[in-house]
Amino acid sequence: MSGPSVVEDTPKPSVAFNLETILSDNHEAIEHSGTLDNGVTAVGWDEEGTETQAAEGYCVECEVSSWVSMVFSKDQPAQVLCETCSDAYCEVCFAAQHRKGTRRQHKSKPLSGKGGNKSTKPATANDPMQEDSMDVEDNGAHESDYEEWEGINPGPPTTEVLGAQPAIGAKVGEWFVDRAKYIPLRLTLVERKYLRLLEAALNVSEYTDKIDTIGFGLSKAKRIVQQIRELCAIMSGLLLAADYKQGQELFTDRDFESNAEFYQSIFELGRRHKIMNPDKMRTTYGKLIYLLQVGSVSSSRTQDSQSHDVKELLNFSCVRPIKTVYSVLEEYRATDLLRDDLISVATKEIYSEGRPRRDIQKDIKSKERAIEILAARYERDGLSQEKLRQCLYSIGDNHAFLRTNRDPCERMINYLKEHFHPTQAKDSKSSLAIRSGRDGARLSHDHGKQYAYVLQSLTLWREILHDMFHLWSLAEQDLLAENVPYRLRDTGQGLNRVQASPKTSRMMHNILYKAQKSVGTWIGSSVIHMGDHNVPNALMFIDKYTQIYRILLPICNTLSQVPSLAAKPALRSYIEDEFGSTENLTREILGDFFRHGFDGSGADNFFDAGSCIDGRLTSAWNWCATIEKKRYFHVFLLAGMCVESADKH
């Protein structure tokens, strides 16, 4: 069932799009009346817009026929011409549109200056990638039911991280320049004091309770302004209590507008701290983003704090760009620091596992020496050595984030390859085969297909986490964009702000395309849910994928602790009596996770489950929810107690 048509036979009288009409009883008259500022008819998030002709030289798929393209105009330059379709595509859209069916037979050629000199040939019966193809019957059910082993033509499979960090001593090129654009600057001691004020104010704020509800009384714009002013007043009072002198200066004019820069900086450092520390501000960050985010329940196309009506009442904007390592260095024309080969040593992650203390101390001293050399080399007026150290430490924080979040994916890939054969199982215990309806599974895969499905899922997660800071930056841009509306909708899990995320979605499709190229084959759906009832907005998307390490890291830690547990006679006896050997224990844990952590289960209903990009993560969550019922759960507890004991000693 679709929404009302954008273009109707009988034109309706135009109704002014302002706060008064939004709050009136005649909602139907303004639901689709009027136009956007650029003269394009406004449409809702769940409705189809009128088709527009793609601009010359741009991808026909990126030039989508919706309000997103109307607002953002041109998107990606065309790189490939499909000679059969007579359409020009960017590389990602061409691969997505020609992955399966008869479109795989289409001939294409790169556009001039956009690619190589060779024409892309259609897949044939002699194509080695085609030989791996498995035709699966499509019963016309939900997209998650359609399982297909797809050939991706780009080259040999690889498990290396795409765009991995340059090795020590190698030329760094533009690697650090590209990453520094999205690495937030580490907070200073003074900023951390302000962060505590922000968290305290957000903890007592009832913003979402008062705004994201079907309420009566004050208008929505006035309720928004009231809550933002209340939050600012709480922060001002806390600042006065913490620093009386600075608090007096803040209260001199008793005017929010005159202190706009202070509030902007407070909100910005909160967002910056959250990106660097996903475990922090678990409940307050969402409240902060929603406070700064888009603003009307039905058809508004502006922002809560950014809305024209709210700005007029509030008299200032709450949003400013995130301060990154690159923006600080660019301000003082010191970006050459990011191209200095010594930066690899100054920001490297130092590992202590299995290494003698002497080697560790040697690495620490070389790192500190490299930091001091770079700080002295690039110091200039306005850019102190302390600020340069802060930039280098921030890049080091990014490496620590990758080690904690991305590296468990790499370790699980290694476990998969070490303990399981890619095409055939030695016995039933080492088989990864699953069948729909058995043990809660939603998919049916034989051993080889499930092996490839798990491998590609872990590879995709690894690439997502590798570019997480970039994704987070785009997610905030989508959430805080003034011309991307949201609607308050019941998604089955309460009222949520459903909002399209064009920039984040585009980046995700790029990552998916690269992951598909790296593994060589793709099984299951390639649908990325974003802006629907499954993943309402970019905030929910980011929150989902920052939880991956919470799933994988305990498994990796437990498996690494198994040898030390078996070294104790009593525990070794328990493991041998219950599982036969430590090898059997490891294989049982891994086999159960690789089977039922990737079986398409875990959704609220049958149709939302499956093999889509987000459904893979949902299945892993569902496995975690049942781990207490597993017979090896005690091993997880023993490994955790062993770690805690080691920490105490």
Side-chain angles (χ1 to χ4, degrees):
M1 184 175 66
S2 61
S5 176
V6 176
V7 181
E8 300 180 355
D9 296 333
T10 305
K12 293 185 179 180
S14 177
V15 180
F17 195 88
N18 54 40
L19 185 61
E20 181 179 357
T21 56
I22 291 174
L23 299 176
S24 66
D25 295 331
N26 188 14
H27 297 291
E28 292 296 328
I30 64 170
E31 182 69 20
H32 299 292
S33 64
T35 60
L36 299 181
D37 295 337
N38 58 5
V40 180
T41 304
V43 296
W45 66 272
D46 55 352
E47 295 163 344
E48 296 182 358
T50 56
E51 292 196 11
T52 59
Q53 186 68 26
E56 183 69 24
Y58 286 85
C59 175
V60 295
E61 281 299 312
C62 294
E63 289 280 339
V64 290
S65 57
S66 68
W67 60 269
V68 177
S69 65
M70 299 171 189
V71 171
F72 291 101
S73 184
K74 303 177 180 65
D75 197 343
Q76 296 294 318
Q79 299 169 298
V80 181
L81 175 65
C82 179
E83 296 177 338
T84 308
C85 301
S86 299
D87 287 328
Y89 297 88
C90 67
E91 190 180 24
V92 175
C93 290
F94 176 80
Q97 292 297 318
H98 295 76
R99 287 189 305 108
K100 50 192 175 184
T102 58
R103 288 193 178 188
R104 294 183 64 184
Q105 307 298 324
H106 287 193
K107 293 183 178 180
S108 64
K109 66 178 181 180
L111 296 176
S112 58
K114 299 295 183 182
N117 298 321
K118 296 183 180 180
S119 252
T120 303
K121 297 181 180 179
T124 64
N126 297 326
D127 190 343
M129 297 304 298
Q130 186 74 2
E131 292 176 1
D132 290 337
S133 177
M134 297 176 60
D135 295 328
V136 180
E137 182 180 358
D138 182 9
N139 297 321
H142 186 261
E143 50 84 9
S144 61
D145 288 334
Y146 188 43
E147 293 298 319
E148 185 174 352
W149 188 304
E150 302 168 7
I152 309 295
N153 291 324
T158 176
T159 57
E160 294 181 0
V161 181
L162 302 177
Q165 180 183 350
I168 302 297
K171 295 292 184 181
V172 298
E174 297 293 313
W175 192 89
F176 284 96
V177 175
D178 294 337
R179 290 198 69 83
K181 293 178 180 178
Y182 309 104
I183 298 178
L185 194 65
R186 177 191 280 196
L187 270 60
T188 63
L189 184 61
V190 175
E191 287 176 330
R192 292 182 186 277
K193 181 178 69 174
Y194 291 145
L195 175 67
R196 289 195 293 271
L197 299 181
L198 174 63
E199 289 191 272
L202 289 171
N203 278 326
V204 299
S205 173
E206 298 179 337
Y207 178 81
T208 49
D209 297 334
K210 298 291 181 65
I211 304 303
D212 287 352
T213 183
I214 309 300
F216 303 92
L218 292 176
S219 68
K220 183 176 179 66
K222 290 183 178 179
R223 280 185 286 140
I224 291 170
V225 171
Q226 180 181 356
Q227 291 299 314
I228 295 177
R229 285 179 175 270
E230 180 180 324
L231 180 66
C232 293
I234 293 171
M235 286 193 298
S236 301
L238 291 172
L239 178 63
L240 182 65
D243 190 332
Y244 184 76
K245 183 177 180 180
Q246 189 171 357
Q248 275 188 319
E249 296 175 359
L250 199 64
F251 278 90
T252 300
D253 298 325
R254 300 185 65 83
D255 181 14
F256 289 107
E257 182 179 5
S258 60
N259 298 317
E261 185 175 352
F262 170 77
Y263 297 121
Q264 289 173 352
S265 63
I266 293 293
F267 292 140
E268 183 273 333
L269 65 88
R271 293 156 53 205
R272 181 160 30 114
H273 176 71
K274 173 63 177 180
I275 296 174
M276 295 292 288
N277 304 273
D279 280 345
K280 306 295 184 182
M281 301 179 69
R282 292 283 300 160
T283 58
T284 53
Y285 176 73
K287 193 182 298 185
L288 171 62
I289 288 296
Y290 280 0
L291 181 147
L292 303 174
Q293 202 216 10
V294 188
S296 178
V297 173
S298 58
S299 58
S300 173
R301 49 186 171 82
T302 52
Q303 303 242 343
D304 282 1
S305 65
Q306 299 287 80
S307 163
H308 175 71
D309 299 313
V310 172
K311 281 183 178 179
E312 285 188 351
L313 295 172
L314 193 60
N315 294 326
F316 73 93
S317 171
C318 299
V319 179
R320 69 160 50 169
I322 291 287
K323 186 184 295 185
T324 64
V325 172
Y326 184 84
S327 65
V328 171
L329 296 176
E330 186 182 36
E331 182 181 356
Y332 298 100
R333 299 181 180 179
T335 54
D336 286 343
L337 166 68
L338 302 172
R339 300 181 180 91
D340 195 309
D341 295 338
L342 196 58
I343 194 173
S344 296
V345 180
T347 60
K348 69 177 179 180
E349 187 80 2
I350 299 176
Y351 298 93
S352 60
E353 294 83 359
R355 301 179 61 200
R357 181 177 295 274
R358 181 177 181 181
D359 291 347
I360 298 172
Q361 291 297 329
K362 182 179 179 181
D363 284 350
I364 292 174
K365 290 181 179 179
S366 66
K367 179 177 180 178
E368 292 175 346
R369 185 164 55 251
I371 291 174
E372 294 304 320
I373 292 173
L374 291 175
R377 183 179 298 173
Y378 293 95
E379 181 186 14
R380 58 199 61 188
D381 291 339
L383 186 61
S384 64
Q385 291 191 22
E386 184 60 34
K387 179 67 72 175
L388 287 166
R389 293 190 193 96
Q390 186 183 6
C391 291
L392 294 172
Y393 290 144
S394 300
I395 298 175
D397 292 342
N398 174 246
H399 295 338
F401 172 87
L402 294 178
R403 177 174 59 86
T404 304
N405 291 265
R406 183 198 64 192
D407 288 2
C409 297
E410 184 66 34
R411 292 171 65 183
M412 293 301 293
I413 290 174
N414 293 334
Y415 280 131
L416 175 66
K417 294 181 177 181
E418 178 183 352
H419 294 279
F420 299 93
H421 193 274
T423 57
Q424 57 187 4
K426 297 178 181 178
D427 49 49
S428 59
K429 292 184 178 180
S430 61
S431 173
L432 300 179
I434 57 175
R435 183 175 295 277
S436 179
R438 182 177 298 176
D439 296 328
R442 172 69 173 76
L443 307 173
S444 294
H445 290 162
D446 59 26
H447 172 82
K449 198 172 184 181
Q450 181 69 3
Y451 179 96
Y453 182 74
V454 173
L455 176 62
Q456 69 185 27
S457 300
L458 292 172
T459 301
L460 177 64
W461 292 355
R462 181 187 63 189
E463 303 305 333
I464 290 174
L465 292 170
H466 181 72
D467 287 322
M468 178 54 72
F469 281 14
H470 190 181
L471 278 168
W472 206 314
S473 174
L474 296 176
E476 284 206 350
Q477 291 179 38
D478 284 331
L479 288 163
L480 303 179
E482 296 188 19
N483 45 12
V484 181
Y486 80 78
R487 291 190 173 196
L488 196 62
R489 289 289 180 267
D490 186 355
T491 61
Q493 298 179 351
L495 292 175
N496 282 282
R497 299 188 178 192
V498 180
Q499 179 195 31
S501 307
K503 295 182 180 180
T504 312
S505 179
R506 179 71 196 181
M507 179 66 179
M508 267 300 299
H509 279 89
N510 275 297
I511 294 174
L512 174 60
Y513 175 61
K514 292 176 183 177
Q516 288 174 335
K517 290 179 65 177
S518 70
V519 297
T521 59
W522 196 256
I523 298 171
S525 170
S526 298
V527 173
I528 299 174
H529 291 287
M530 202 174 302
D532 57 17
H533 71 282
N534 289 301
V535 185
N537 52 52
L539 176 64
M540 302 296 181
F541 169 83
I542 289 295
D543 187 61
K544 281 171 68 77
Y545 284 95
T546 52
Q547 307 309 312
I548 291 177
Y549 89 97
R550 290 174 173 266
I551 299 173
L552 301 185
L553 193 58
I555 301 175
C556 294
N557 289 341
T558 298
L559 295 178
S560 65
Q561 290 287 333
V562 168
S564 61
L565 291 175
K568 301 177 181 179
L571 295 181
R572 184 176 186 84
S573 176
Y574 161 72
I575 292 174
E576 291 178 348
D577 292 343
E578 189 72 20
F579 304 99
S581 66
T582 56
E583 177 65 20
N584 290 344
L585 169 61
T586 299
R587 187 179 288 111
E588 180 170 338
I589 294 174
L590 290 172
D592 189 64
F593 176 67
F594 291 149
R595 281 190 295 268
H596 299 295
F598 300 87
D599 60 1
S601 62
D604 292 334
N605 55 67
F606 182 84
F607 297 103
D608 287 341
S611 62
C612 65
I613 300 304
D614 303 286
R616 301 163 192 251
L617 187 53
T618 303
S619 301
W621 284 352
N622 188 61
W623 178 86
C624 293
T626 62
I627 192 173
E628 293 182 356
K629 301 177 182 178
K630 310 291 184 180
R631 69 174 189 143
Y632 52 75
F633 177 62
H634 298 93
V635 179
F636 278 76
L637 296 179
L638 289 169
M641 286 187 289
C642 182
V643 172
E644 291 176 1
S645 176
D647 290 340
K648 289 180 180 179
H649 292 287

